[in-house]
Amino acid sequence: MTARTRERETALLGGRGSFAGVPGLLTARRVLVVASKGTLHRTRAERWLPPEAEVFTGFCPNPGVEHAVHAARRRAEWGADLVMGIGGGSALDVAKAAALLPADADQAEETILGGRPVAGNGTELLLVPTTAGTGSEVTQFATLYRGRRKVSLDTPRAQADVAVVDPALTDSCPPSVTWSCAFDALAHAVESLWSVRSTELSRAHAQEALRRIVAILREADETPSRGERDALSEAATLAGQAINITRTTAAHALSYPLTARLEIPHGLACALNLIWLMPLVERAGPRDVLDERGPDAVRGAVSVLGSLFGCGPGELGHLLGDLVARRVASIGVRLAEQPSDELLRLLVAEGLASNRMGGMPVRLEPEQAYEGLRRTLAAHLPGAGDGACATTG
């Protein structure tokens, strides 16, 4: 790895077996590794990590600001010139924060919340995903939580210097992780395709991702084949490249409170939102369109989605609902009770307050979101009754 500015494109090393090149990237470097204990065990880290590497495991899924601050302090104390994140999206996001944030806790939190500019410190960033979904290895932002509220660290300096995407690292992912991650990648691609910020390049990435994902969600067994895992990894990176240009939209904005408050896995939460959002976008009239390029831009995106999903007009939501129904048992989520009216409205209010709403191509009213979310949760999560918690297994 050679020193360079983060504003340049990530050097991408992909393909089955590419992980074999990682030890060579760590040679003669002072390395901080951000990974869970489980990932270190599964990847047999003792065999390839330099003996002098420092390891940070002090984070959890959907990491909080405090985890990011602790990681940045560890990087500074260790004097690392290279941060390596290996794992799912949470590990990669914490690694980004570790590489970028100042060691002082107050300054780090101020930076995350946007009150302090991100300053370069010369630390390079190597990201190695072990799941196929988040695309974090090729994006310039990291998702963190302050309590139950999602915040984003979004800066070109969070772009990895090098990303190594080896599908073999996803082979050990159980169905619950595999399919939730696949839905996350699908949501990235769909939302990027219809975003008001879409470009020719982002649309090309999104379409290539969807060509792979939709077929696998429809046809694969509970545990994908090696070839299907290869395709999912490629799709996740393509979808990540797409949202790095456009950012996400309402499906993601409304997913964060579902994850934080109901413990619905992120990717599934995004897909559940898309089930009711797709018909809204598809039916939007000219007065509802927010994309400055006009109604034709929205109709064009919907037409492409219909072609990629293999369905006719008015069928997108139903088809995605069928794909979710096919995989939800494998993901293993069951709402103990249906969210109360008060909680549903809180979930909607928190979601609509997200800056990700700025990418929506059509107007979305709170009552539309409330009704769509209420109906979809009742229809697609088994065990829905009368209250507000979720379990995963």
Coordinates of all heavy atoms in Angstrom, one line a residue, residues 19-88:
F19 N -8.1 -12.9 -0.5 CA -7.6 -12.7 0.9 C -6.2 -13.1 1.2 O -5.5 -12.6 2.1 CB -8.6 -13.4 1.9 CG -8.3 -13.1 3.3 CD1 -8.5 -11.9 3.9 CD2 -7.8 -14.1 4.1 CE1 -8.2 -11.6 5.2 CE2 -7.5 -13.9 5.5 CZ -7.8 -12.6 6.0
A20 N -5.7 -14.0 0.3 CA -4.3 -14.5 0.5 C -3.3 -13.4 0.4 O -2.2 -13.5 0.9 CB -4.0 -15.6 -0.5
G21 N -3.7 -12.3 -0.3 CA -2.8 -11.2 -0.4 C -2.7 -10.2 0.7 O -1.9 -9.3 0.8
V22 N -3.6 -10.4 1.7 CA -3.7 -9.5 2.8 C -2.5 -9.4 3.7 O -2.0 -8.3 4.0 CB -5.0 -9.7 3.7 CG1 -4.9 -9.0 5.0 CG2 -6.2 -9.3 2.9
P23 N -1.9 -10.6 4.1 CA -0.7 -10.5 4.9 C 0.4 -9.6 4.3 O 1.1 -8.9 5.0 CB -0.2 -11.9 5.0 CG -1.5 -12.7 4.9 CD -2.3 -12.0 3.9
G24 N 0.6 -9.7 3.0 CA 1.6 -8.8 2.3 C 1.3 -7.4 2.5 O 2.2 -6.5 2.4
L25 N 0.0 -7.0 2.6 CA -0.3 -5.6 2.8 C 0.0 -5.0 4.2 O 0.0 -3.8 4.4 CB -1.8 -5.4 2.5 CG -2.3 -5.7 1.1 CD1 -3.8 -5.6 0.9 CD2 -1.6 -4.9 0.0
L26 N 0.2 -6.0 5.1 CA 0.5 -5.6 6.5 C 2.0 -5.5 6.8 O 2.3 -5.1 7.9 CB -0.2 -6.6 7.4 CG -1.7 -6.8 7.2 CD1 -2.3 -7.8 8.2 CD2 -2.5 -5.6 7.2
T27 N 2.8 -6.0 5.9 CA 4.2 -6.1 6.2 C 4.8 -4.7 6.5 O 4.5 -3.7 5.8 CB 5.0 -6.7 4.9 OG1 4.4 -8.0 4.7 CG2 6.4 -6.8 5.2
A28 N 5.6 -4.6 7.5 CA 6.4 -3.4 7.9 C 5.4 -2.3 8.2 O 5.8 -1.1 8.0 CB 7.3 -3.0 6.8
R29 N 4.2 -2.6 8.7 CA 3.3 -1.6 9.1 C 2.9 -1.7 10.6 O 3.0 -2.8 11.1 CB 2.0 -1.7 8.3 CG 2.1 -1.7 6.8 CD 2.8 -0.5 6.3 NE 2.1 0.7 6.6 CZ 1.2 1.3 5.7 NH1 0.9 0.7 4.6 NH2 0.6 2.4 6.1
R30 N 2.6 -0.6 11.1 CA 2.1 -0.6 12.5 C 0.6 -0.6 12.4 O -0.1 0.4 12.1 CB 2.6 0.6 13.3 CG 2.4 0.5 14.8 CD 3.3 1.6 15.5 NE 3.1 1.5 16.9 CZ 3.8 0.7 17.7 NH1 4.7 -0.1 17.2 NH2 3.6 0.7 19.0
V31 N 0.0 -1.8 12.7 CA -1.4 -2.1 12.3 C -2.3 -2.1 13.5 O -2.0 -2.8 14.5 CB -1.5 -3.4 11.6 CG1 -2.9 -3.7 11.1 CG2 -0.5 -3.5 10.4
L32 N -3.5 -1.5 13.4 CA -4.6 -1.7 14.3 C -5.7 -2.4 13.6 O -6.1 -2.0 12.5 CB -5.2 -0.3 14.8 CG -6.4 -0.5 15.7 CD1 -6.1 -1.1 17.0 CD2 -7.1 0.9 15.8
V33 N -6.1 -3.6 14.1 CA -7.1 -4.4 13.4 C -8.4 -4.3 14.2 O -8.4 -4.5 15.4 CB -6.7 -5.9 13.4 CG1 -7.7 -6.8 12.8 CG2 -5.3 -6.1 12.7
V34 N -9.4 -3.9 13.5 CA -10.8 -3.8 14.1 C -11.6 -5.0 13.6 O -11.8 -5.1 12.4 CB -11.5 -2.5 13.7 CG1 -12.9 -2.4 14.2 CG2 -10.6 -1.3 14.1
A35 N -12.0 -5.8 14.5 CA -12.7 -7.1 14.2 C -13.3 -7.6 15.5 O -12.8 -7.4 16.6 CB -11.7 -8.1 13.6
S36 N -14.4 -8.4 15.3 CA -15.0 -9.1 16.4 C -14.1 -10.3 16.8 O -13.3 -10.8 15.9 CB -16.4 -9.5 16.1 OG -16.4 -10.6 15.1
K37 N -14.3 -10.8 18.0 CA -13.6 -12.0 18.4 C -14.0 -13.2 17.5 O -13.1 -14.0 17.1 CB -13.8 -12.3 19.8 CG -13.3 -11.3 20.8 CD -13.6 -11.6 22.2 CE -13.0 -10.6 23.2 NZ -13.3 -10.8 24.6
G38 N -15.2 -13.3 17.1 CA -15.7 -14.3 16.2 C -15.0 -14.3 14.9 O -14.6 -15.3 14.3
T39 N -14.9 -13.1 14.3 CA -14.2 -13.0 13.0 C -12.8 -13.4 13.1 O -12.2 -14.1 12.2 CB -14.4 -11.5 12.5 OG1 -15.7 -11.2 12.2 CG2 -13.6 -11.3 11.2
L40 N -12.1 -12.9 14.2 CA -10.7 -13.3 14.3 C -10.5 -14.8 14.4 O -9.6 -15.4 13.8 CB -10.1 -12.6 15.6 CG -10.0 -11.1 15.6 CD1 -9.6 -10.6 16.9 CD2 -9.0 -10.7 14.5
H41 N -11.5 -15.5 15.1 CA -11.4 -16.9 15.2 C -11.7 -17.6 13.8 O -10.9 -18.5 13.4 CB -12.4 -17.4 16.2 CG -12.5 -18.9 16.3 ND1 -11.5 -19.7 16.9 CD2 -13.5 -19.8 15.9 CE1 -11.9 -20.9 16.9 NE2 -13.1 -21.0 16.3
R42 N -12.7 -17.1 13.2 CA -13.1 -17.8 11.9 C -12.1 -17.6 10.8 O -11.9 -18.5 10.0 CB -14.5 -17.2 11.4 CG -15.7 -17.7 12.2 CD -17.0 -17.3 11.5 NE -17.1 -15.9 11.4 CZ -17.7 -15.2 12.4 NH1 -18.1 -15.8 13.5 NH2 -17.8 -13.9 12.3
T43 N -11.4 -16.5 10.8 CA -10.4 -16.2 9.8 C -9.0 -16.7 10.2 O -8.0 -16.4 9.5 CB -10.3 -14.7 9.4 OG1 -10.0 -14.0 10.6 CG2 -11.6 -14.2 8.9
R44 N -8.9 -17.3 11.4 CA -7.6 -17.8 11.9 C -6.5 -16.7 11.9 O -5.4 -16.9 11.3 CB -7.1 -19.0 11.0 CG -8.1 -20.2 11.1 CD -7.7 -21.3 10.2 NE -8.6 -22.4 10.3 CZ -8.5 -23.6 9.7 NH1 -7.4 -23.8 8.9 NH2 -9.4 -24.5 9.8
A45 N -6.9 -15.6 12.5 CA -6.1 -14.4 12.5 C -4.6 -14.7 13.0 O -3.7 -14.0 12.6 CB -6.7 -13.3 13.3
E46 N -4.5 -15.6 14.0 CA -3.2 -15.9 14.5 C -2.2 -16.4 13.5 O -1.0 -16.2 13.6 CB -3.3 -16.9 15.7 CG -3.5 -18.3 15.2 CD -5.0 -18.6 14.9 OE1 -5.8 -17.7 15.1 OE2 -5.3 -19.8 14.5
R47 N -2.7 -16.8 12.3 CA -1.8 -17.3 11.3 C -1.3 -16.3 10.3 O -0.3 -16.4 9.7 CB -2.6 -18.4 10.4 CG -2.9 -19.6 11.2 CD -3.5 -20.7 10.3 NE -3.8 -21.9 11.0 CZ -4.2 -23.1 10.4 NH1 -4.3 -23.1 9.1 NH2 -4.5 -24.1 11.1
W48 N -2.0 -15.2 10.2 CA -1.7 -14.2 9.2 C -1.4 -12.7 9.8 O -0.8 -11.9 9.1 CB -2.7 -14.1 8.1 CG -4.1 -13.9 8.5 CD1 -5.0 -14.9 8.8 CD2 -4.8 -12.7 8.8 NE1 -6.2 -14.4 9.2 CE2 -6.1 -13.0 9.2 CE3 -4.4 -11.3 8.7 CZ2 -7.0 -12.0 9.5 CZ3 -5.3 -10.4 9.1 CH2 -6.6 -10.7 9.5
L49 N -1.9 -12.5 11.0 CA -1.6 -11.2 11.6 C -0.2 -11.1 12.0 O 0.4 -12.0 12.6 CB -2.6 -10.9 12.8 CG -3.9 -10.4 12.5 CD1 -4.7 -10.1 13.8 CD2 -3.8 -9.1 11.7
P50 N 0.5 -9.9 11.8 CA 1.8 -9.7 12.4 C 1.8 -9.8 13.9 O 0.8 -9.4 14.5 CB 2.2 -8.3 11.9 CG 1.3 -8.0 10.8 CD 0.0 -8.8 11.0
P51 N 2.8 -10.4 14.5 CA 2.8 -10.6 16.0 C 2.6 -9.2 16.7 O 2.0 -9.2 17.8 CB 4.1 -11.2 16.3 CG 4.6 -11.7 15.0 CD 4.0 -10.9 13.9
E52 N 3.1 -8.2 16.1 CA 3.0 -6.9 16.8 C 1.7 -6.1 16.6 O 1.5 -5.0 17.0 CB 4.2 -6.0 16.4 CG 4.2 -5.6 15.0 CD 4.8 -6.6 14.0 OE1 5.0 -7.8 14.5 OE2 5.1 -6.3 12.9
A53 N 0.8 -6.7 15.8 CA -0.5 -6.0 15.5 C -1.3 -5.8 16.7 O -1.4 -6.7 17.6 CB -1.3 -6.7 14.4
E54 N -1.9 -4.6 16.9 CA -2.9 -4.4 17.9 C -4.3 -4.7 17.5 O -4.6 -4.4 16.3 CB -2.8 -2.9 18.3 CG -3.7 -2.5 19.5 CD -3.1 -2.9 20.9 OE1 -2.1 -3.6 20.9 OE2 -3.7 -2.5 21.9
V55 N -5.1 -5.2 18.3 CA -6.5 -5.7 17.9 C -7.5 -4.9 18.8 O -7.3 -4.8 20.0 CB -6.6 -7.2 18.1 CG1 -8.1 -7.6 17.8 CG2 -5.7 -7.9 17.2
F56 N -8.5 -4.4 18.1 CA -9.6 -3.7 18.8 C -10.9 -4.5 18.6 O -11.3 -4.7 17.4 CB -9.8 -2.3 18.4 CG -10.9 -1.6 19.0 CD1 -10.8 -1.0 20.3 CD2 -12.2 -1.4 18.4 CE1 -11.9 -0.4 20.9 CE2 -13.2 -0.8 19.0 CZ -13.1 -0.2 20.2
T57 N -11.5 -5.0 19.6 CA -12.8 -5.8 19.5 C -13.9 -5.2 20.3 O -15.0 -5.8 20.4 CB -12.6 -7.3 20.0 OG1 -12.2 -7.2 21.4 CG2 -11.5 -8.0 19.2
G58 N -13.7 -4.0 20.8 CA -14.7 -3.4 21.7 C -15.8 -2.7 21.0 O -16.0 -1.5 21.3
F59 N -16.6 -3.4 20.3 CA -17.8 -2.8 19.6 C -18.8 -3.9 19.5 O -18.5 -5.1 19.7 CB -17.4 -2.2 18.2 CG -16.9 -3.3 17.2 CD1 -17.8 -3.9 16.3 CD2 -15.6 -3.7 17.2 CE1 -17.4 -4.8 15.4 CE2 -15.2 -4.6 16.3 CZ -16.0 -5.2 15.4
C60 N -20.0 -3.6 19.0 CA -21.1 -4.5 18.9 C -21.8 -4.2 17.6 O -21.6 -3.2 16.9 CB -22.0 -4.4 20.1 SG -22.8 -2.8 20.2
P61 N -22.7 -5.1 17.1 CA -23.5 -4.8 16.0 C -24.3 -3.4 16.2 O -24.7 -3.1 17.3 CB -24.5 -5.9 15.9 CG -23.8 -7.1 16.5 CD -23.0 -6.4 17.7
N62 N -24.4 -2.7 15.1 CA -25.0 -1.3 15.1 C -24.2 -0.5 16.2 O -24.8 0.0 17.2 CB -26.5 -1.4 15.5 CG -27.2 -2.3 14.6 OD1 -27.1 -2.2 13.4 ND2 -28.0 -3.2 15.2
P63 N -22.9 -0.3 15.9 CA -22.0 0.3 16.9 C -22.4 1.7 17.3 O -22.9 2.5 16.5 CB -20.7 0.3 16.3 CG -21.0 0.2 14.8 CD -22.2 -0.5 14.7
G64 N -22.1 2.1 18.5 CA -22.4 3.4 19.0 C -21.3 4.4 18.8 O -20.1 3.9 18.5
V65 N -21.5 5.6 19.0 CA -20.5 6.7 18.9 C -19.4 6.3 19.9 O -18.2 6.5 19.6 CB -21.1 8.0 19.2 CG1 -20.0 9.1 19.4 CG2 -22.1 8.5 18.1
E66 N -19.7 5.8 21.1 CA -18.7 5.6 22.1 C -17.7 4.5 21.6 O -16.5 4.5 21.9 CB -19.3 5.1 23.4 CG -20.1 3.8 23.4 CD -21.5 3.9 22.9 OE1 -21.9 5.0 22.3 OE2 -22.3 2.9 23.1
H67 N -18.2 3.5 20.8 CA -17.3 2.5 20.3 C -16.3 3.1 19.3 O -15.1 2.8 19.3 CB -18.1 1.4 19.6 CG -19.1 0.7 20.5 ND1 -20.4 0.6 20.1 CD2 -18.9 0.1 21.7 CE1 -21.0 0.0 21.1 NE2 -20.2 -0.3 22.0
A68 N -16.8 4.0 18.5 CA -15.9 4.7 17.5 C -14.9 5.5 18.2 O -13.7 5.5 17.8 CB -16.8 5.6 16.6
V69 N -15.3 6.2 19.2 CA -14.3 7.1 20.0 C -13.2 6.2 20.6 O -12.0 6.5 20.6 CB -15.1 7.9 21.0 CG1 -14.1 8.6 21.9 CG2 -16.0 8.9 20.3
H70 N -13.6 5.1 21.2 CA -12.6 4.2 21.9 C -11.7 3.6 20.8 O -10.5 3.5 21.1 CB -13.4 3.0 22.6 CG -14.1 3.5 23.8 ND1 -15.1 2.7 24.3 CD2 -14.1 4.6 24.5 CE1 -15.7 3.3 25.4 NE2 -15.0 4.5 25.5
A71 N -12.2 3.3 19.7 CA -11.3 2.8 18.6 C -10.3 3.8 18.1 O -9.1 3.5 17.9 CB -12.1 2.3 17.4
A72 N -10.8 5.0 18.0 CA -9.9 6.1 17.6 C -8.8 6.4 18.6 O -7.6 6.6 18.3 CB -10.6 7.4 17.3
R73 N -9.2 6.3 19.9 CA -8.2 6.5 21.0 C -7.1 5.4 20.9 O -5.9 5.6 21.1 CB -8.9 6.5 22.3 CG -7.9 6.8 23.5 CD -8.6 6.8 24.8 NE -9.7 7.8 24.8 CZ -11.0 7.4 25.2 NH1 -11.2 6.2 25.5 NH2 -11.9 8.3 25.1
R74 N -7.6 4.1 20.7 CA -6.7 3.0 20.6 C -5.7 3.2 19.4 O -4.5 2.9 19.6 CB -7.4 1.7 20.4 CG -6.5 0.4 20.4 CD -6.0 0.1 21.8 NE -7.0 -0.3 22.7 CZ -7.6 -1.5 22.7 NH1 -7.1 -2.5 21.9 NH2 -8.5 -1.8 23.6
R75 N -6.2 3.6 18.3 CA -5.3 3.9 17.1 C -4.2 4.9 17.5 O -3.1 4.7 17.2 CB -6.2 4.4 16.0 CG -5.4 4.6 14.7 CD -5.0 6.1 14.5 NE -6.2 6.9 14.6 CZ -6.1 8.2 15.0 NH1 -4.9 8.8 15.2 NH2 -7.2 8.9 15.1
A76 N -4.7 6.0 18.2 CA -3.7 7.0 18.5 C -2.7 6.6 19.5 O -1.5 6.8 19.4 CB -4.4 8.3 19.0
E77 N -3.1 5.8 20.5 CA -2.2 5.3 21.5 C -1.2 4.3 20.9 O -0.1 4.3 21.3 CB -3.0 4.6 22.7 CG -3.8 5.6 23.5 CD -4.8 4.9 24.4 OE1 -5.0 3.7 24.3 OE2 -5.4 5.6 25.3
W78 N -1.7 3.5 20.0 CA -0.8 2.5 19.4 C 0.1 3.2 18.3 O 1.1 2.6 18.0 CB -1.7 1.4 18.7 CG -1.0 0.3 18.1 CD1 -1.0 0.0 16.7 CD2 0.0 -0.6 18.6 NE1 -0.2 -1.1 16.5 CE2 0.4 -1.5 17.6 CE3 0.5 -0.7 19.9 CZ2 1.3 -2.5 17.9 CZ3 1.4 -1.7 20.2 CH2 1.8 -2.6 19.1
G79 N -0.3 4.3 17.9 CA 0.5 5.0 16.8 C 0.4 4.2 15.5 O 1.4 4.2 14.7
A80 N -0.8 3.7 15.2 CA -1.0 2.9 14.0 C -0.9 3.8 12.7 O -1.4 4.9 12.7 CB -2.3 2.2 14.0
D81 N -0.2 3.3 11.7 CA -0.2 4.0 10.4 C -1.1 3.3 9.4 O -1.3 3.7 8.3 CB 1.2 4.1 9.9 CG 1.9 2.8 9.6 OD1 1.3 1.7 9.7 OD2 3.1 2.8 9.3
L82 N -1.7 2.2 9.8 CA -2.7 1.4 9.0 C -3.7 0.8 9.9 O -3.4 0.2 10.9 CB -2.0 0.3 8.3 CG -2.9 -0.7 7.5 CD1 -3.7 0.0 6.4 CD2 -2.1 -1.9 7.0
V83 N -5.0 1.1 9.6 CA -6.1 0.5 10.3 C -6.8 -0.5 9.3 O -7.1 -0.1 8.2 CB -7.2 1.5 10.7 CG1 -8.4 0.8 11.2 CG2 -6.6 2.5 11.8
M84 N -6.9 -1.7 9.8 CA -7.6 -2.7 9.0 C -8.9 -3.1 9.6 O -8.9 -3.6 10.8 CB -6.7 -4.0 8.9 CG -7.3 -5.1 8.2 SD -6.3 -6.6 8.2 CE -7.4 -7.8 7.4
G85 N -10.0 -3.0 8.9 CA -11.3 -3.5 9.4 C -11.6 -4.7 8.7 O -11.6 -4.8 7.4
I86 N -12.0 -5.8 9.4 CA -12.4 -7.0 8.8 C -13.6 -7.5 9.5 O -13.7 -7.6 10.7 CB -11.2 -8.1 8.8 CG1 -11.7 -9.4 8.3 CG2 -10.7 -8.3 10.2 CD1 -10.6 -10.4 8.0
G87 N -14.7 -7.8 8.7 CA -15.9 -8.3 9.3 C -17.1 -7.8 8.5 O -17.0 -7.4 7.3
G88 N -18.2 -7.7 9.2 CA -19.4 -7.1 8.6 C -19.4 -5.6 8.6 O -18.4 -5.0 9.0

